[in-house]
Amino acid sequence: MIVQAAPLAHIPWLLERAKFNASVEIKAIEAVDSAGRIHGMAGFDGWTPNSVVLTIALDNPACLRHMIHAIFNFAFIQAGRGVALATIIGSNKRSVALCRHAGFREVYRVRDGVKPGEDLVLMEMRREECRWIPRANRKAA
């Protein structure tokens, strides 16, 4: 599995699977096989001076193992952000569980935030709590 910066032409793959709109400032990391087939992608958007919103889509959940260090290295070290955020449709229990397992914690639930009866879950991971980057890089920026 090759983990690399995703070219802009590949961003629609993420947008279709994650069902969201992106700004012109989106950046992404992808996991591709030797034939160039995308297995997973993480998008970075909603930038503020200290945070970024992550959106992850996986056709092959196992590829996350290959991507996870690169995802948080980009967000916290290369981009220098102190907080990574994720928004998830509340009924997507697998994604909520995956985010918790990665180290995110739920900070807010917007009742009916997606549509009536469908909550929007806001999760965060702080740089100093991220186990996916070296300990020396966990200090707040």
Side-chain angles (χ1 to χ4, degrees):
M1 197 68 57
I2 302 161
V3 177
Q4 61 189 15
L8 286 177
H10 291 188
I11 300 295
W13 185 96
L14 175 65
L15 302 180
E16 290 166 11
R17 283 160 178 78
K19 297 178 176 53
F20 85 103
N21 296 315
S23 78
V24 296
E25 295 180 3
I26 189 169
K27 298 185 180 349
I29 292 172
E30 64 184 3
V32 297
D33 60 25
S34 59
R37 181 175 169 265
I38 301 168
H39 289 261
M41 191 178 298
F44 305 85
D45 206 1
W47 298 92
T48 72
N50 194 47
S51 69
V52 63
V53 178
L54 300 182
T55 301
I56 298 173
L58 305 167
D59 276 358
N60 173 3
C63 76
L64 185 60
R65 276 182 276 155
H66 298 279
M67 299 174 63
I68 198 151
H69 290 280
I71 290 168
F72 293 107
N73 179 68
F74 181 75
F76 293 129
I77 299 170
Q78 289 180 301
R81 296 317 191 260
V83 181
L85 301 169
T87 55
I88 306 165
I89 296 172
S91 63
N92 189 341
K93 300 203 184 305
R94 287 180 63 185
S95 288
V96 170
L98 180 69
C99 281
R100 282 194 177 118
H101 179 71
F104 283 86
R105 71 176 173 280
E106 185 175 326
V107 291
Y108 199 75
R109 186 173 285 259
V110 181
R111 196 179 65 184
D112 304 325
V114 177
K115 63 183 180 184
E118 188 78 67
D119 294 351
L120 182 67
V121 178
L122 176 64
M123 301 186 86
E124 78 169 7
M125 181 188 295
R126 304 191 70 76
R127 178 185 185 133
E128 59 270 18
E129 301 166 347
C130 182
R131 69 181 186 262
W132 306 108
I133 60 173
R135 204 173 291 280
N137 295 106
R138 293 183 193 168
K139 296 180 188 106

